[in-house]
Amino acid sequence: MSDKKNVSAGEGTKKPKKPLEIISFIRVTAVLIVFIGLPVLILSNISYSFYSPQESAIKVAFQHTGKRIVDCDEKDLIKEEGKRYRELLKTEKRISMNMGKLAGCPRERFPVVVDLSIDGRTMLDRAYKPKGIKRDMASYIYDDFIISPGVHRIAVAMYDSGNKNKADATLDETVDIKPGDVKVLRFDDASNKLVVE
Amino acid sequence: MERAKTYRKPGVTERLWLGLEKVLNLLTTSAYNPFYYLGAISIFFLWIIFITGIYLFVFYSISAAGAYNSVQYLTVNQWYLGGVIRSLHRYASGGLVIAALTHGLRHYVLDRYKHWRWVSWVTGIGMVLVIIVGGIFGYALVWDQRAQFIAISLSKMIESVPVFGMPMSISFARIENLADQVFYLLLAVHFFAIIAVTVLVMIHLGRVAKSVINPPKVMAYGLVAVLFLLSFLRPAVSSGPANLKALPQAMPFDWLYMFMFPLMRYMTEHELWLFIVALVLIVSIIPWLTAEKKNPEVQVTKENCTGCELCREDCPYGAIQMIKRTDGMPYELEAVVVNKRCASCGICMGACDYKALNLPDLTEDALKAEIERLSTELAGAQGKKVVVFNCAKGAWPDGVLEAGGRVKGFDWARIVTLQCIGMLQPSMLSIPFENGIDGVFISGCRMGDCSFRSGNEWLVGRINGYRTPVVKKSLDRSRIGTAWLSAVEKDAMLKELGQFHKNLK
Ligand code: HEM
Ligand code: SF4
Ligand code: SF4
C-alpha cells in the first residue's frame, strides 16, 4: 500500500499538469479584462449631458437677514443695563445683572419672502424661514429655474419685514440670456439692492 | 430505501451562473477563477484606491481656486506618474463597484445570503452605498464641469432633507460664495468613505472564519495588469474647468457612480430619495423575505467532547466556541455551538473523532450505519465495487436519494449524500474498505468554491495527512478518488467515477 500518492485538489481525479504560471497569468488576465476591465472602461466613460444646449438657468441664491419681529435692540439694552450696573456698583455692595431683562428681548426674525416673475408669469412666491432654533438668524434663499435662452423680463420683490404690501427691495429688469448661461439673482448687501448677474 | 433528509437542487438562474463559471474554469482552472475571489478582488481594489489616493492627496490643492489646476498638473505635466496614478485610482474604483456588485449578485443567485449569512449581506449593501457616496465626492473634488454638475445635483439632494439643513446650493451658485471649507468637507467625506468601508469589511467578515481576503498572486498581477492597461488605453482626465456662470454641458460620465443623477430629470429630490431608500430597504431584507426554514443546527454531546478544539478550528463560520469545562470532566474545555452562526454544514462533525457532534437530521451514527449498509449491500456484487461520498451542493446524479444510493448504469457503486463533503470524517472513509469495497470516490464542490467555504479543502488536508484528524496512513490512497465539480457538472462527475472504477486495480 502506498501512502505517497496525494489526493489532488485540482480539476478532478488526475493530478492536472500544472500550467506554467505565465500561462495562468495570461488566461486570468484575459478573463479579468472581459469581466472587469471592459465594463469599467465602457461604463465609466459614456458622454452625458443633463442639460440640453438649448437651456439656460436662473438661480435665486443669497443669504439675507429678515427684520426683528419685535423691535427691541439688544445692544441698547446691554448698554443700558451696563450703565445701571456700574452706577449701582458705586453705591451698593451686593448687586446683580438683570439677565431676565435681557432675555426678555425676543430675537425672532421675519421670514424673507421673494416674489419672482419672468415675462409676467409668477415663478416664485415663497417665504424662506430664518435659520436657528430661535429663528433669529439669516434666511437662506435658494431656488432655480430652467428657462429658454433669449430676452426675458425679470421682476422681483423681496419682503423682509413681514409687510406684504410694501416690498423692501424690488427689481425690474430685462436681460438677454445666452444658451447655457446661468443668471444669479441676489440681494447685494453692500448696495442694499437686488441684482441679477 | 429512502432517506429522510433531502437536498435542494439548483434553480434555473443558479444553473446558468454555474454554467458560466464552468466555462471560465476551462480557461483559468478553478484555482484562478475570478468569480471565486470576488470579495478578495474587491479588497484588492480597496488597497489600490487607498495607496494611489495618498499620492493624489499630496498634490491636491484643497481650494476652489486651486483644486482643478492641481489635478490638471498631475494629469498633464506629470502624466507619466501622477497621471497614471490618477488613472489607477479611477479604474480601481470602477473595478470595485463591478466586483462588489457581482460578488453580491453571485451570493444571491447561488443562494448564499440567508440565515447566518445575513450580517455579510446587509453590511455588503452598506459598503456599496458608502463606496458610491465616496466615489461621487471624489469626482466632485476634481472641480471640473462634471464636478460642478455633481455639486449642484448633490446639494439639492442634501438640502431636500431637512435634518441636514445645509444650504449648499448657495455656495455653488456663485464662485464668490464658494469657500475653501467646502473643499475640505468634500475631501473629508471622500476620505471617510474608505474608513467606513474598512470598518464595514470587518463586520462583513465577522462571521466568516479564515476569510479569503487576498486573491491568488497570479490574479493580483492580472488585476494590476488590467488597471495599467485601462490607464494607458484611456488615461483618466478631467472635463473643462467648472464655470458656475454656465450650465455644465456634455461630460464624460461614470455610470458606475453617478447613475442616479440623471433620474433627477424625471423625479423630484424627494421622489429620488424615496426610490433610493425603498430600493436599499428591499434589497436589505431579501434574506428574510425569501427565507425558508433553516436546517437544524449541530448539537454537542458534552459527555463525549474532549475539548480538542478541532471543530472550532474547522468551522467555516466561527460558530463553535470553546468554553471552560462545566461538567467536572477532566478536560479543560468544551465545545459550544452558537446557533445563529451555525450553517448546519456538518464540517465540524467531520473534524470530531469523539462522536460529540451531530446534525439532528443526519447524526454520525445514522450516517455510519448508512455507509455500512450500502457497503455490505454492495459487497456481494461482481467485480470492483465503489462507495461514493457525494456533496449535496456539488455534482450529484438526479434521483439518487430516492433510489437508495443507486445510479442507473453504475451497479457497482452506491452513493452516500452529505450536506457538505467536509462532513466526511476520516473514520467514515474506512468503513467501505472494512466491508470489502475496493474503492472510495469523493465528489465535492469546485476547489475554491465550497458552498460552506472550506469543506472540500479541509477534507483534502485530512486525506493528504496535513490536517487533523488525518485519514489513516494505512488506507491505500490509490483507492481513493476525487472529483471537485459544481452542481451543473454531474455528467463529468459520473465520467470521472467511471474512469476511477476502470483504473481500480
Ligand atoms: C467592498 C465590497 C465588498 C467586499 C470587500 C467584500 C468582501 C468579502 C469577502 C472577502 C468575503 C469572504 C469570502 C470568503 O472567504 O468566503 C465576503 C463574503 C460575503 N459577502 Fe462580501 N464583500 C463586499 C460586498 C458585498 C456585497 C455588496 C454583498 C451582498 C449584498 C456581499 C455579500 C457577502 C456574503 C453573503 C458573504 C458570505 C459568504 C459566505 O458566507 O459563504 N458582499 N465578502
Ligand atoms: S472536535 Fe469534538 S471533541 Fe473536539 S472539541 Fe469539538 S466537539 Fe469536542
Ligand atoms: S455545522 Fe458547520 S457552521 Fe455549524 S458549527 Fe459545525 S462547522 Fe460550524
Side-chain angles (χ1 to χ4, degrees), chain B residues 38-40 42-43 46 96 100-101 103-105 107 112-114 116-118 120-125 127-128 131 197 201 204-205 208-213 283 317 450-453:
Chain B
L38 288 165
S42 304
I43 293 182
L46 281 169
L96 175 60
L101 289 181
H103 164 78
L105 185 65
H107 275 90
R112 300 182 190 170
Y113 62 99
K114 293 171 197 162
W116 69 97
R117 287 180 174 113
W118 75 266
S120 301
W121 180 262
V122 173
T123 50
I125 292 160
M127 282 192 273
V128 168
I131 287 165
V197 168
V201 167
H204 194 69
L205 301 179
V208 186
K210 302 188 183 70
S211 35
V212 181
I213 54 170
V283 178
Y317 292 106
C450 171
S451 224
F452 296 105
R453 304 193 48 253

Short mmCIF file of all heavy atoms in Angstrom, two decimals, chain B residues 38-40 42-43 46 96 100-101 103-105 107 112-114 116-118 120-125 127-128 131 197 201 204-205 208-213 283 317 450-453, ligand 1:
data_model
loop_
_atom_site.label_atom_id
_atom_site.label_comp_id
_atom_site.label_asym_id
_atom_site.label_seq_id
_atom_site.Cartn_x
_atom_site.Cartn_y
_atom_site.Cartn_z
N LEU B 38 -14.27 37.12 -5.78
CA LEU B 38 -14.75 38.49 -5.99
C LEU B 38 -14.62 39.35 -4.73
O LEU B 38 -14.32 40.54 -4.82
CB LEU B 38 -16.20 38.45 -6.48
CG LEU B 38 -16.32 37.97 -7.93
CD1 LEU B 38 -17.76 37.60 -8.27
CD2 LEU B 38 -15.81 39.01 -8.90
N GLY B 39 -14.84 38.74 -3.55
CA GLY B 39 -14.65 39.50 -2.31
C GLY B 39 -13.20 39.91 -2.15
O GLY B 39 -12.90 41.08 -1.84
N ALA B 40 -12.30 38.97 -2.39
CA ALA B 40 -10.88 39.27 -2.26
C ALA B 40 -10.45 40.30 -3.30
O ALA B 40 -9.65 41.19 -3.01
CB ALA B 40 -10.07 37.98 -2.42
N SER B 42 -12.34 42.64 -4.50
CA SER B 42 -12.83 43.94 -4.03
C SER B 42 -11.85 44.53 -3.02
O SER B 42 -11.55 45.73 -3.06
CB SER B 42 -14.21 43.79 -3.37
OG SER B 42 -15.12 43.20 -4.26
N ILE B 43 -11.38 43.70 -2.11
CA ILE B 43 -10.44 44.20 -1.11
C ILE B 43 -9.13 44.64 -1.78
O ILE B 43 -8.55 45.67 -1.43
CB ILE B 43 -10.19 43.14 -0.02
CG1 ILE B 43 -11.47 42.94 0.78
CG2 ILE B 43 -9.02 43.54 0.89
CD1 ILE B 43 -11.36 41.95 1.92
N LEU B 46 -9.60 47.97 -3.08
CA LEU B 46 -9.60 48.96 -1.99
C LEU B 46 -8.16 49.34 -1.62
O LEU B 46 -7.87 50.51 -1.38
CB LEU B 46 -10.33 48.41 -0.76
CG LEU B 46 -11.86 48.45 -0.83
CD1 LEU B 46 -12.47 47.64 0.32
CD2 LEU B 46 -12.35 49.90 -0.76
N LEU B 96 -13.95 48.21 -8.38
CA LEU B 96 -14.51 47.89 -7.06
C LEU B 96 -16.03 47.74 -7.15
O LEU B 96 -16.61 46.80 -6.60
CB LEU B 96 -14.13 48.98 -6.07
CG LEU B 96 -14.72 48.87 -4.67
CD1 LEU B 96 -14.29 47.58 -4.01
CD2 LEU B 96 -14.29 50.06 -3.81
N ALA B 100 -17.74 44.22 -6.46
CA ALA B 100 -18.60 44.10 -5.28
C ALA B 100 -20.03 43.75 -5.69
O ALA B 100 -20.67 42.90 -5.06
CB ALA B 100 -18.57 45.40 -4.47
N LEU B 101 -20.52 44.38 -6.76
CA LEU B 101 -21.89 44.07 -7.20
C LEU B 101 -22.00 42.64 -7.71
O LEU B 101 -22.96 41.93 -7.43
CB LEU B 101 -22.35 45.06 -8.27
CG LEU B 101 -22.64 46.49 -7.79
CD1 LEU B 101 -23.12 47.35 -8.95
CD2 LEU B 101 -23.68 46.50 -6.67
N HIS B 103 -20.10 40.17 -6.87
CA HIS B 103 -19.94 39.34 -5.68
C HIS B 103 -21.28 39.20 -4.95
O HIS B 103 -21.70 38.10 -4.61
CB HIS B 103 -18.87 40.02 -4.81
CG HIS B 103 -18.78 39.60 -3.38
ND1 HIS B 103 -18.18 38.43 -2.99
CD2 HIS B 103 -19.16 40.22 -2.24
CE1 HIS B 103 -18.21 38.35 -1.66
NE2 HIS B 103 -18.80 39.42 -1.18
N GLY B 104 -21.95 40.33 -4.78
CA GLY B 104 -23.25 40.29 -4.10
C GLY B 104 -24.28 39.52 -4.91
O GLY B 104 -25.00 38.67 -4.39
N LEU B 105 -24.31 39.80 -6.22
CA LEU B 105 -25.27 39.13 -7.09
C LEU B 105 -25.02 37.62 -7.09
O LEU B 105 -25.95 36.80 -7.06
CB LEU B 105 -25.13 39.68 -8.51
CG LEU B 105 -26.13 39.16 -9.53
CD1 LEU B 105 -27.54 39.60 -9.17
CD2 LEU B 105 -25.79 39.63 -10.93
N HIS B 107 -23.74 35.83 -4.70
CA HIS B 107 -24.25 35.24 -3.46
C HIS B 107 -25.76 35.09 -3.51
O HIS B 107 -26.32 34.14 -2.99
CB HIS B 107 -23.84 36.08 -2.26
CG HIS B 107 -22.48 35.74 -1.75
ND1 HIS B 107 -21.34 36.36 -2.20
CD2 HIS B 107 -22.07 34.81 -0.88
CE1 HIS B 107 -20.29 35.82 -1.61
NE2 HIS B 107 -20.71 34.88 -0.80
N ARG B 112 -26.64 32.08 -1.34
CA ARG B 112 -25.72 32.11 -0.20
C ARG B 112 -25.83 33.46 0.49
O ARG B 112 -24.87 34.23 0.55
CB ARG B 112 -24.29 31.90 -0.68
CG ARG B 112 -24.09 30.57 -1.38
CD ARG B 112 -22.64 30.39 -1.77
NE ARG B 112 -22.49 29.23 -2.64
CZ ARG B 112 -21.39 28.93 -3.30
NH1 ARG B 112 -20.32 29.71 -3.18
NH2 ARG B 112 -21.32 27.87 -4.07
N TYR B 113 -26.99 33.78 0.99
CA TYR B 113 -27.15 35.10 1.60
C TYR B 113 -28.13 35.09 2.76
O TYR B 113 -28.39 36.13 3.35
CB TYR B 113 -27.61 36.11 0.54
CG TYR B 113 -28.95 35.78 -0.08
CD1 TYR B 113 -30.11 36.40 0.35
CD2 TYR B 113 -29.04 34.81 -1.07
CE1 TYR B 113 -31.33 36.07 -0.19
CE2 TYR B 113 -30.27 34.47 -1.61
CZ TYR B 113 -31.40 35.10 -1.18
OH TYR B 113 -32.61 34.77 -1.71
N LYS B 114 -28.66 33.92 3.09
CA LYS B 114 -29.71 33.90 4.12
C LYS B 114 -29.18 33.43 5.47
O LYS B 114 -28.05 33.02 5.60
CB LYS B 114 -30.81 32.94 3.68
CG LYS B 114 -31.57 33.38 2.47
CD LYS B 114 -32.47 32.26 2.01
CE LYS B 114 -32.92 32.50 0.59
NZ LYS B 114 -33.43 31.28 -0.02
N TRP B 116 -27.56 32.60 8.66
CA TRP B 116 -26.34 33.08 9.32
C TRP B 116 -25.56 34.06 8.45
O TRP B 116 -24.71 34.77 8.94
CB TRP B 116 -25.46 31.88 9.70
CG TRP B 116 -24.89 31.21 8.50
CD1 TRP B 116 -23.65 31.42 7.97
CD2 TRP B 116 -25.53 30.27 7.64
NE1 TRP B 116 -23.48 30.66 6.83
CE2 TRP B 116 -24.62 29.96 6.60
CE3 TRP B 116 -26.78 29.66 7.62
CZ2 TRP B 116 -24.92 29.05 5.58
CZ3 TRP B 116 -27.08 28.77 6.60
CH2 TRP B 116 -26.16 28.47 5.61
N ARG B 117 -25.86 34.10 7.15
CA ARG B 117 -25.09 34.98 6.28
C ARG B 117 -25.64 36.40 6.24
O ARG B 117 -25.11 37.25 5.53
CB ARG B 117 -25.07 34.42 4.85
CG ARG B 117 -24.18 33.19 4.66
CD ARG B 117 -24.24 32.75 3.22
NE ARG B 117 -23.34 31.66 2.89
CZ ARG B 117 -23.76 30.43 2.55
NH1 ARG B 117 -25.04 30.15 2.55
NH2 ARG B 117 -22.88 29.50 2.23
N TRP B 118 -26.74 36.67 6.96
CA TRP B 118 -27.38 37.98 6.79
C TRP B 118 -26.46 39.14 7.16
O TRP B 118 -26.55 40.21 6.57
CB TRP B 118 -28.69 38.06 7.58
CG TRP B 118 -28.54 38.23 9.08
CD1 TRP B 118 -28.54 37.24 10.00
CD2 TRP B 118 -28.36 39.45 9.80
NE1 TRP B 118 -28.37 37.75 11.26
CE2 TRP B 118 -28.25 39.11 11.17
CE3 TRP B 118 -28.27 40.80 9.43
CZ2 TRP B 118 -28.06 40.07 12.17
CZ3 TRP B 118 -28.08 41.75 10.43
CH2 TRP B 118 -27.98 41.37 11.77
N SER B 120 -23.28 39.46 6.62
CA SER B 120 -22.48 39.77 5.43
C SER B 120 -23.33 40.45 4.37
O SER B 120 -22.89 41.40 3.72
CB SER B 120 -21.87 38.50 4.84
OG SER B 120 -21.07 37.85 5.78
N TRP B 121 -24.54 39.98 4.22
CA TRP B 121 -25.42 40.55 3.19
C TRP B 121 -25.71 42.02 3.47
O TRP B 121 -25.52 42.89 2.62
CB TRP B 121 -26.72 39.75 3.12
CG TRP B 121 -27.68 40.26 2.10
CD1 TRP B 121 -28.75 41.07 2.33
CD2 TRP B 121 -27.66 40.02 0.69
NE1 TRP B 121 -29.40 41.35 1.14
CE2 TRP B 121 -28.75 40.71 0.12
CE3 TRP B 121 -26.81 39.29 -0.15
CZ2 TRP B 121 -29.02 40.69 -1.25
CZ3 TRP B 121 -27.09 39.27 -1.51
CH2 TRP B 121 -28.18 39.97 -2.04
N VAL B 122 -26.14 42.32 4.67
CA VAL B 122 -26.55 43.68 4.99
C VAL B 122 -25.34 44.63 4.99
O VAL B 122 -25.41 45.73 4.43
CB VAL B 122 -27.30 43.72 6.34
CG1 VAL B 122 -27.58 45.15 6.77
CG2 VAL B 122 -28.60 42.94 6.24
N THR B 123 -24.24 44.20 5.57
CA THR B 123 -23.07 45.08 5.55
C THR B 123 -22.55 45.25 4.12
O THR B 123 -22.01 46.30 3.78
CB THR B 123 -21.93 44.55 6.43
OG1 THR B 123 -21.69 43.18 6.10
CG2 THR B 123 -22.27 44.66 7.91
N GLY B 124 -22.73 44.21 3.30
CA GLY B 124 -22.32 44.32 1.89
C GLY B 124 -23.04 45.47 1.21
O GLY B 124 -22.44 46.28 0.51
N ILE B 125 -24.33 45.55 1.46
CA ILE B 125 -25.12 46.63 0.87
C ILE B 125 -24.65 47.97 1.42
O ILE B 125 -24.50 48.94 0.69
CB ILE B 125 -26.61 46.40 1.15
CG1 ILE B 125 -27.07 45.17 0.38
CG2 ILE B 125 -27.45 47.61 0.77
CD1 ILE B 125 -28.33 44.55 0.89
N MET B 127 -21.71 48.68 2.38
CA MET B 127 -20.44 49.02 1.75
C MET B 127 -20.64 49.62 0.37
O MET B 127 -19.99 50.60 0.00
CB MET B 127 -19.56 47.78 1.66
CG MET B 127 -18.90 47.43 2.96
SD MET B 127 -17.64 46.19 2.72
CE MET B 127 -18.60 44.72 2.84
N VAL B 128 -21.54 49.03 -0.39
CA VAL B 128 -21.79 49.55 -1.74
C VAL B 128 -22.27 51.01 -1.65
O VAL B 128 -21.81 51.88 -2.39
CB VAL B 128 -22.81 48.68 -2.49
CG1 VAL B 128 -23.28 49.37 -3.75
CG2 VAL B 128 -22.19 47.33 -2.83
N ILE B 131 -19.36 53.24 -0.68
CA ILE B 131 -18.42 53.34 -1.80
C ILE B 131 -18.95 54.31 -2.85
O ILE B 131 -18.21 55.16 -3.37
CB ILE B 131 -18.18 51.95 -2.41
CG1 ILE B 131 -17.31 51.12 -1.47
CG2 ILE B 131 -17.51 52.06 -3.77
CD1 ILE B 131 -17.30 49.64 -1.78
N VAL B 197 -15.67 51.95 5.04
CA VAL B 197 -15.67 50.65 4.36
C VAL B 197 -14.78 49.67 5.12
O VAL B 197 -15.14 48.50 5.29
CB VAL B 197 -15.21 50.80 2.89
CG1 VAL B 197 -14.92 49.44 2.28
CG2 VAL B 197 -16.28 51.50 2.08
N VAL B 201 -16.04 46.20 6.37
CA VAL B 201 -15.43 44.93 5.94
C VAL B 201 -15.21 44.03 7.15
O VAL B 201 -15.46 42.83 7.11
CB VAL B 201 -14.10 45.16 5.19
CG1 VAL B 201 -13.33 43.85 5.02
CG2 VAL B 201 -14.35 45.76 3.82
N HIS B 204 -18.42 42.67 8.07
CA HIS B 204 -18.79 41.77 6.96
C HIS B 204 -18.18 40.38 7.15
O HIS B 204 -18.81 39.38 6.88
CB HIS B 204 -18.27 42.41 5.67
CG HIS B 204 -18.80 41.83 4.39
ND1 HIS B 204 -20.09 41.98 4.00
CD2 HIS B 204 -18.19 41.13 3.40
CE1 HIS B 204 -20.26 41.40 2.82
NE2 HIS B 204 -19.13 40.86 2.44
N LEU B 205 -16.95 40.38 7.63
CA LEU B 205 -16.22 39.12 7.74
C LEU B 205 -16.23 38.57 9.16
O LEU B 205 -15.58 37.57 9.45
CB LEU B 205 -14.78 39.31 7.26
CG LEU B 205 -14.68 39.78 5.80
CD1 LEU B 205 -13.22 39.97 5.39
CD2 LEU B 205 -15.36 38.80 4.87
N VAL B 208 -17.24 35.13 9.12
CA VAL B 208 -16.61 34.32 8.07
C VAL B 208 -15.20 33.96 8.53
O VAL B 208 -14.28 34.76 8.39
CB VAL B 208 -16.57 35.08 6.73
CG1 VAL B 208 -16.07 34.20 5.61
CG2 VAL B 208 -17.96 35.61 6.39
N ALA B 209 -15.04 32.76 9.11
CA ALA B 209 -13.76 32.39 9.68
C ALA B 209 -12.72 32.21 8.58
O ALA B 209 -13.03 31.71 7.51
CB ALA B 209 -13.91 31.10 10.48
N LYS B 210 -11.49 32.63 8.86
CA LYS B 210 -10.39 32.47 7.90
C LYS B 210 -10.81 32.92 6.51
O LYS B 210 -10.64 32.20 5.52
CB LYS B 210 -9.94 31.00 7.84
CG LYS B 210 -9.48 30.44 9.18
CD LYS B 210 -8.88 29.06 9.00
CE LYS B 210 -8.46 28.43 10.30
NZ LYS B 210 -9.64 28.05 11.14
N SER B 211 -11.37 34.11 6.44
CA SER B 211 -11.89 34.56 5.14
C SER B 211 -10.75 34.79 4.16
O SER B 211 -9.63 35.14 4.53
CB SER B 211 -12.71 35.83 5.31
OG SER B 211 -12.15 36.63 6.31
N VAL B 212 -11.08 34.60 2.91
CA VAL B 212 -10.11 34.79 1.84
C VAL B 212 -10.11 36.27 1.48
O VAL B 212 -11.03 36.74 0.82
CB VAL B 212 -10.49 33.94 0.62
CG1 VAL B 212 -9.47 34.10 -0.49
CG2 VAL B 212 -10.63 32.49 1.03
N ILE B 213 -9.11 36.99 1.95
CA ILE B 213 -9.13 38.43 1.70
C ILE B 213 -8.11 38.85 0.65
O ILE B 213 -8.05 40.02 0.28
CB ILE B 213 -8.92 39.26 2.99
CG1 ILE B 213 -7.65 38.81 3.70
CG2 ILE B 213 -10.12 39.12 3.92
CD1 ILE B 213 -7.27 39.73 4.83
N VAL B 283 -33.72 45.46 -0.87
CA VAL B 283 -32.58 44.56 -1.09
C VAL B 283 -32.03 44.06 0.24
O VAL B 283 -31.63 42.91 0.37
CB VAL B 283 -31.49 45.27 -1.92
CG1 VAL B 283 -30.29 44.37 -2.12
CG2 VAL B 283 -32.04 45.67 -3.28
N TYR B 317 -17.67 29.21 9.93
CA TYR B 317 -18.38 30.42 10.32
C TYR B 317 -18.14 30.83 11.77
O TYR B 317 -18.90 31.61 12.34
CB TYR B 317 -19.89 30.25 10.05
CG TYR B 317 -20.14 30.19 8.57
CD1 TYR B 317 -20.46 29.00 7.95
CD2 TYR B 317 -20.00 31.33 7.79
CE1 TYR B 317 -20.65 28.94 6.57
CE2 TYR B 317 -20.18 31.28 6.43
CZ TYR B 317 -20.51 30.09 5.82
OH TYR B 317 -20.68 30.05 4.47
N CYS B 450 -16.37 25.98 -2.31
CA CYS B 450 -17.20 25.16 -1.42
C CYS B 450 -18.36 26.02 -0.95
O CYS B 450 -18.19 27.17 -0.54
CB CYS B 450 -16.36 24.71 -0.23
SG CYS B 450 -17.33 23.90 1.05
N SER B 451 -19.55 25.47 -1.02
CA SER B 451 -20.73 26.20 -0.60
C SER B 451 -20.62 26.63 0.86
O SER B 451 -21.15 27.65 1.27
CB SER B 451 -21.95 25.31 -0.78
OG SER B 451 -22.98 26.03 -1.35
N PHE B 452 -19.96 25.80 1.64
CA PHE B 452 -19.71 26.14 3.04
C PHE B 452 -18.27 26.56 3.25
O PHE B 452 -17.68 26.32 4.28
CB PHE B 452 -20.10 24.97 3.94
CG PHE B 452 -21.57 24.68 3.87
CD1 PHE B 452 -22.04 23.58 3.18
CD2 PHE B 452 -22.48 25.53 4.48
CE1 PHE B 452 -23.41 23.33 3.10
CE2 PHE B 452 -23.85 25.28 4.39
CZ PHE B 452 -24.31 24.18 3.71
N ARG B 453 -17.73 27.14 2.20
CA ARG B 453 -16.45 27.83 2.19
C ARG B 453 -15.24 26.92 2.19
O ARG B 453 -14.36 27.11 1.36
CB ARG B 453 -16.37 28.85 3.33
CG ARG B 453 -17.52 29.87 3.29
CD ARG B 453 -17.27 31.03 4.18
NE ARG B 453 -15.96 31.56 3.98
CZ ARG B 453 -14.98 31.42 4.83
NH1 ARG B 453 -15.18 30.83 5.97
NH2 ARG B 453 -13.79 31.89 4.55
C1 HEM C 1 -16.48 46.35 -0.94
C2 HEM C 1 -17.36 45.44 -1.01
C3 HEM C 1 -17.18 44.02 -0.52
C4 HEM C 1 -16.06 43.37 -0.08
C5 HEM C 1 -14.67 43.92 0.05
C6 HEM C 1 -16.46 42.04 0.28
C7 HEM C 1 -15.60 41.05 0.74
C8 HEM C 1 -15.98 39.78 1.11
C9 HEM C 1 -15.09 38.72 1.48
C10 HEM C 1 -13.58 38.83 1.50
C11 HEM C 1 -15.85 37.64 1.81
C12 HEM C 1 -15.35 36.31 2.31
C13 HEM C 1 -15.24 35.33 1.21
C14 HEM C 1 -14.82 34.00 1.78
O1 HEM C 1 -13.74 33.93 2.34
O2 HEM C 1 -15.61 33.06 1.68
C15 HEM C 1 -17.23 38.02 1.66
C16 HEM C 1 -18.30 37.21 1.94
C17 HEM C 1 -19.62 37.56 1.73
N1 HEM C 1 -20.07 38.70 1.09
FE1 HEM C 1 -18.95 40.28 0.59
N2 HEM C 1 -17.80 41.91 0.08
C18 HEM C 1 -18.27 43.10 -0.43
C19 HEM C 1 -19.56 43.38 -0.81
C20 HEM C 1 -20.63 42.52 -0.65
C21 HEM C 1 -21.97 42.78 -1.10
C22 HEM C 1 -22.40 44.03 -1.86
C23 HEM C 1 -22.72 41.70 -0.72
C24 HEM C 1 -24.17 41.46 -0.92
C25 HEM C 1 -25.07 42.35 -0.85
C26 HEM C 1 -21.86 40.77 -0.06
C27 HEM C 1 -22.27 39.58 0.48
C28 HEM C 1 -21.44 38.63 1.05
C29 HEM C 1 -21.90 37.43 1.69
C30 HEM C 1 -23.36 36.99 1.86
C31 HEM C 1 -20.76 36.75 2.13
C32 HEM C 1 -20.73 35.46 2.94
C33 HEM C 1 -20.11 34.33 2.21
C34 HEM C 1 -20.41 33.01 2.86
O3 HEM C 1 -20.95 33.00 3.96
O4 HEM C 1 -20.14 31.99 2.23
N3 HEM C 1 -20.59 41.29 -0.03
N4 HEM C 1 -17.28 39.34 1.21
#
